[in-house]
Amino acid sequence: MMNPDAKPTGPLAGVRVVDMTSVGMGPYATQILGDMGADVLKIEAPAGDVFRYAEPALHTGMGAAFINLNRNKRYRALDIKREDDLAELKTLIAEADIFISNVRPQALRRLGLDYESLRAGHPRLIYCGAYGYAESGPYSGQPAFDDIIQARCGMAQFQGANAGEPQYVNTIMVDKVSGLTVTYALAMALYERERSGQGQALEIPMFETMVSFLAPEQLAGQTFVPPQGPAGYPRVMTPHRKPYRTADGHIALLPYTTAQWMRFFTLADRPDLVADPRYADLASRSANIVELYATLADIVSGRTTAQWLALLADADIPHSEVPRYEDVLNDRHLRETGMVFEYDHPTEGRLRAVGIPTRFSRTPGNIRSWPQALERDAAHENKEG
């Protein structure tokens, strides 16, 4: 729940972050840092983070996506093309533990905001560049957004394999996976600094992050030299891997272990499948996964959703209903754990929010502040005049 009067209680309480990121990847990461207690100062250009203007919104500059990515932060509008604003930013960085930016490295270098320039007077600084491509490669400096990286890393091709054409995942997957990578990298850098007393520069490129993210299962036959088959993990690539149609709706169903499959075949009254050597163990099932999942789909269609939910719960087989996200927000488990709640925002009225998923027994994170409209102070307004 939100408590605007609370002090930071999380494991990062006392850590100061200057956040010069926008859109998804960086703000997602720094919101997590803020949830875990860090003092995050978000630096925006005078026009503000472009995600402020993504619909839906009640008021211009306070779009839902921006609200959901930018709690637990303070805000400052600076035009770093102006000498005094740039000097102010450098002063703020000199007082921070972490500086994170998704501005292209070449532009930061021209402004004296590169790591080499900043560390001279601040050797404990942890400096994080969060952008599209590693600076050491030929794509360095190219513009990159979630859709572009989904395509370039191979995800779009995997996602559309059964549709006959590449497709994007219907969420900003690259931004959020890369943002999570930023958070764990920064946590490790803070830990190392406690031992060495020295900061360092981190680079979190979206492209390399997503190639790595896909590799564990999707590298598949390309793991071996020479290759033992194409890339792509067969179980997740089969066209039958999807929520299964019941007699009146859909369910998600995944028997996985041999014991779970045998229990499912038994409750489906299919002794022939219990005895079928194609499904006797994981290796055999993997080799026949298309046929197995097609059979599963055929079996599920014979009963209603309610009937299956009752049968599968009694058999302790992994399963779920398939709700809309609107219904997930009212899920009884989430209500009991307090993950979804409502609060009153000073300008946007009554809002719904999703809380902090990670739980610390001694130093839990907390929600202390909400995103706000970006305002330049009077001194800066006078400069504009």
Side-chain angles (χ1 to χ4, degrees), residues 45-181:
D49 184 335
V50 66
F51 233 23
R52 284 182 174 274
Y53 306 100
E55 295 290 330
L58 292 178
H59 300 99
T60 300
M62 289 296 287
F66 179 84
I67 290 172
N68 293 324
L69 283 167
N70 288 284
R71 69 186 177 214
N72 281 337
K73 300 177 186 180
R74 297 183 291 119
Y75 296 84
R76 187 74 170 117
L78 294 175
D79 181 355
I80 60 174
K81 296 177 183 177
R82 301 177 60 95
E83 289 186 9
D84 50 356
D85 280 16
L86 178 59
E88 181 179 341
L89 175 58
K90 289 179 179 179
T91 297
L92 292 169
I93 295 171
E95 298 169 349
D97 297 287
I98 293 169
F99 173 55
I100 175 172
S101 170
N102 64 353
V103 177
R104 299 180 199 185
Q106 301 93 320
L108 293 179
R109 204 169 285 118
R110 289 194 297 269
L111 295 167
L113 293 173
D114 57 295
Y115 177 62
E116 294 301 324
S117 297
L118 294 174
R119 75 167 180 170
H122 190 356
R124 288 177 55 83
L125 178 66
I126 295 171
Y127 182 104
C128 182
Y131 35 72
Y133 305 98
E135 196 175 5
S136 60
Y139 300 158
S140 174
Q142 289 188 14
F145 289 94
D146 193 281
D147 294 6
I148 305 306
I149 302 300
Q150 282 202 37
R152 184 162 257 163
C153 75
M155 176 175 280
Q157 196 66 43
F158 282 132
Q159 188 68 15
N162 298 314
E165 61 181 4
Q167 295 181 345
Y168 296 132
V169 179
N170 290 333
T171 185
I172 53 171
M173 174 75 78
V174 172
D175 279 325
K176 290 184 285 188
V177 169
S178 300
L180 290 170
T181 304

Side-chain angles (χ1 to χ4, degrees), residues 265-333:
F265 293 150
T266 298
L267 70 85
D269 195 24
R270 292 294 301 270
D272 58 314
L273 297 177
V274 173
D276 194 321
R278 294 177 300 167
Y279 310 137
D281 53 40
L282 180 57
S284 300
R285 289 192 298 274
S286 296
N288 295 281
I289 197 67
V290 174
E291 296 87 348
L292 176 59
Y293 276 13
T295 299
L296 181 60
D298 183 62
I299 292 171
V300 169
S301 67
R303 290 187 169 105
T304 68
T305 300
Q307 288 172 327
W308 277 119
L309 292 175
L311 286 169
L312 294 166
D314 288 343
D316 194 28
I317 294 171
H319 68 281
S320 173
E321 63 273 24
V322 187
R324 302 174 307 154
Y325 195 68
E326 291 87 342
D327 298 323
V328 173
L329 297 174
N330 294 309
D331 183 276
R332 61 191 179 91
H333 180 88

